[in-house]
Amino acid sequence: MGEGLISELKLAMPWGHIAAKAWGSHKSPPVLCLHGWLDNANSFDRLIPLLPKDFYYVAMDFGGHGLSSHYSPGFPYDHQNFVSEVRRVAAALKWNRFSLLGHSFGGTVGGMFSCIFPEMVDKLVLLESSPFILETNELENMLTYKRKAIEHMLQVEASKKPSQVVSPEEMLQGFLKNNSHVGEECGKLLLQRGTTQVATGLFLNRDRRITRPEYYFNFISRELFVHSIRKLQARVLFIKATQGFYDLRRENDANTELVLFVTSSLRSTLKERFQYVQVPGNHYVHMNQPQHMAGIISSFLQSKERIPAHL
């Protein structure tokens, strides 16, 4: 796709702006792309050029990530706020129906959005993700997470330390150490949009009030999950990487039971509107080897099966 077709967007929000990156013509059918936890819109730089040219792809930076504004002081980040950002972006772009493509955390935001606003989403692509995070393995921890989220925010507010400035090399090595699934090339891509250069080096753009993903997730019961996905009007493509993640904190990664529960519930609820595909690769396969999934996503986006209006 020609470089000329990529544009930067800055959408006004009550606390500042949401930044986004767009590919193609705004007259084409829209696809909103949602990045993973602590990533940014560059997450899709290698995949989107391999997808059909007759769509308008917009990859947004969630609040506090990438080039988007941080939330106002004292205003907490939480899963539902990210879901409402999707609604705000759709309003700013005057979209009333679109497709969603979400990686990891972005997929859980897209999944919840698609159940709350079912009439707005025609297709949902989940890359190494789940439309919701189930509480099954987490009941013991949930109050601790809420406590830690509050304590972390207060701690960051109390510490007046400026952002740490490090050399580009040190920044990249630190990033790769914390993100073992991201290759060096892709690490550089994410840091391009995730850092700001100053005379002495780089600092991270993201809001330091945002920390571990489990502090911010909305965990739900299996019962609520099954109930929620009945609301979906979208067709769903679920792409799982063979060496991907099966568990939010990676502690129960050998236990695939939850993913099986999610996929079998989606299949029995959505029937022919659900497609499950496994591809070789790890949690960042969409960046590391986008060619492993580009064909599948392209066919899914272009498929025209009519969905009855009343489900």
Side-chain angles (χ1 to χ4, degrees):
M1 188 175 277
E3 283 300 301
L5 287 172
I6 302 180
S7 53
E8 283 288 339
L9 309 177
K10 203 169 168 181
L11 308 169
M13 297 287 142
W15 63 89
H17 70 270
I18 289 277
K21 190 168 181 172
W23 287 256
S25 159
H26 67 91
K27 294 187 173 71
S28 301
V31 180
L32 185 63
C33 307
L34 306 175
H35 64 76
W37 192 248
L38 301 185
D39 291 342
N40 56 59
N42 280 10
S43 179
F44 299 100
D45 273 18
R46 299 182 71 164
L47 174 62
I48 288 173
L50 306 181
L51 299 182
K53 310 284 181 270
D54 44 0
F55 289 88
Y56 181 47
Y57 302 93
V58 174
M60 63 182 272
D61 292 325
F62 284 121
H65 293 71
L67 303 177
S68 287
S69 304
H70 295 181
Y71 282 3
S72 309
F75 187 65
Y77 288 89
D78 120 307
H79 194 271
Q80 199 165 319
N81 292 338
F82 294 120
V83 175
S84 71
E85 284 182 24
V86 173
R87 185 66 190 80
R88 289 178 182 279
V89 165
L93 296 170
K94 300 187 170 48
W95 293 352
N96 44 32
R97 197 165 165 85
F98 53 96
S99 297
L100 278 170
L101 169 69
H103 171 243
S104 196
F105 170 74
T108 67
V109 172
M112 188 189 236
F113 180 87
S114 304
C115 294
I116 297 177
F117 297 99
E119 74 291 351
M120 294 187 76
V121 184
D122 61 354
K123 289 175 185 168
L124 172 64
V125 182
L126 299 166
L127 306 177
E128 265 293 288
S129 185
S130 170
F132 289 94
I133 302 288
L134 300 181
E135 65 188 17
T136 313
N137 299 335
E138 300 290 352
L139 287 170
E140 298 283 298
N141 308 320
M142 274 156 56
L143 291 175
T144 311
Y145 292 157
K146 294 199 183 308
R147 175 180 177 135
K148 286 186 169 166
I150 293 169
E151 286 179 343
H152 176 78
M153 186 154 104
L154 295 179
Q155 193 187 329
V156 172
E157 288 170 356
S159 109
K160 294 282 184 273
K161 277 194 313 213
S163 295
Q164 205 186 353
V165 175
V166 298
S167 72
E169 188 46 37
E170 205 179 331
M171 179 71 83
L172 181 63
Q173 289 320 315
F175 183 82
L176 297 174
K177 198 170 115 236
N178 290 331
N179 299 274
S180 59
H181 283 222
V182 182
E184 188 163 328
E185 285 295 288
C186 302
K188 284 181 180 163
L189 254 186
L190 289 171
L191 287 175
Q192 235 175 49
R193 195 175 178 92
T195 56
T196 294
Q197 198 160 4
V198 288
T200 48
L202 300 175
F203 66 86
L204 285 172
N205 294 340
R206 67 175 167 79
D207 194 328
R208 286 182 299 169
R209 289 176 292 172
I210 305 173
T211 172
R212 304 179 65 84
E214 57 268 29
Y215 298 175
Y216 308 92
F217 273 121
N218 256 3
F219 293 95
I220 67 170
S221 65
R222 292 177 187 227
E223 193 183 2
L224 183 54
F225 171 73
V226 170
H227 191 80
S228 301
I229 61 174
R230 287 188 194 133
K231 302 268 183 257
L232 283 167
Q233 289 180 23
R235 295 177 51 232
V236 177
L237 170 62
F238 193 108
I239 299 180
K240 195 87 201 70
T242 47
Q243 275 85 52
F245 293 175
Y246 282 90
D247 175 65
L248 174 66
R249 287 173 298 116
R250 314 298 320 277
E251 280 181 18
N252 296 298
D253 242 6
N255 178 4
T256 57
E257 192 264 333
L258 273 187
V259 171
L260 290 174
F261 172 77
V262 166
T263 51
S264 61
S265 304
L266 285 164
R267 184 172 287 116
S268 60
T269 305
L270 301 177
K271 304 192 168 51
E272 68 289 343
R273 288 190 292 132
F274 178 69
Q275 193 184 345
Y276 176 85
V277 181
Q278 227 179 7
V279 297
N282 68 18
H283 191 59
Y284 278 84
V285 63
H286 73 294
M287 289 192 85
N288 298 326
Q289 294 110 355
Q291 66 282 7
H292 289 181
M293 57 174 61
I296 303 155
I297 296 172
S298 300
S299 311
F300 179 72
L301 289 175
Q302 289 175 317
S303 59
K304 290 279 190 282
E305 284 97 320
R306 203 175 60 77
I307 297 171
H310 303 292
L311 293 169

